[in-house]
Amino acid sequence: SHKSAATDEQATSLVNGRMPRENLSLDVKTIVSNTDLVLTHLKSRRASEESMEAAKTIASLQSKRVALIQQRDDFLNQRKEASAMVGKLMRDKDSAAPD
């Protein structure tokens, strides 16, 4: 039947009731890119609700961090362009001034 095929597929993708780890280390990149995997492992290890929320918070904060870094880089680029324009205007003013 259709239901048993889906159950068989799920059973083969789970190891000891959780998704296989696939040699991943527990770092920020892993928590962000594989949040569901990390949460299933924490749940299977009977982690506290606080630990589960911490993993979700890490993933959320990392996304915000990446957005803020991009915003900072955009502002630094604007400052660089403005500084170049100021330098050009000052050179133009100096070359136009009579000696």
Side-chain angles (χ1 to χ4, degrees), residues 19 21-22 24-25 28-40:
M19 295 167 53
R21 197 169 136 236
E22 300 169 0
L24 295 174
S25 62
V28 173
K29 185 177 177 183
T30 302
I31 293 172
V32 171
S33 62
N34 296 298
T35 305
D36 292 338
L37 174 69
V38 170
L39 292 175
T40 60

Side-chain angles (χ1 to χ4, degrees), residues 41-95:
H41 276 269
L42 287 172
K43 187 175 182 180
S44 71
R45 292 174 171 269
R46 296 188 175 116
S48 67
E49 189 60 36
E50 185 179 330
S51 296
M52 302 283 281
E53 286 303 315
K56 293 175 189 175
T57 301
I58 289 169
S60 171
L61 290 174
Q62 178 65 10
S63 299
K64 290 177 184 175
R65 178 181 173 272
V66 168
L68 288 171
I69 289 170
Q70 180 62 51
Q71 187 179 21
R72 178 208 61 192
D73 291 347
D74 291 344
F75 287 137
L76 288 174
N77 193 39
Q78 288 176 15
R79 182 177 74 177
K80 180 180 172 185
E81 290 172 3
S83 292
M85 191 180 305
V86 168
K88 182 182 182 312
L89 290 172
M90 289 178 73
R91 282 189 305 276
D92 290 349
K93 180 183 136 214
D94 289 345
S95 65

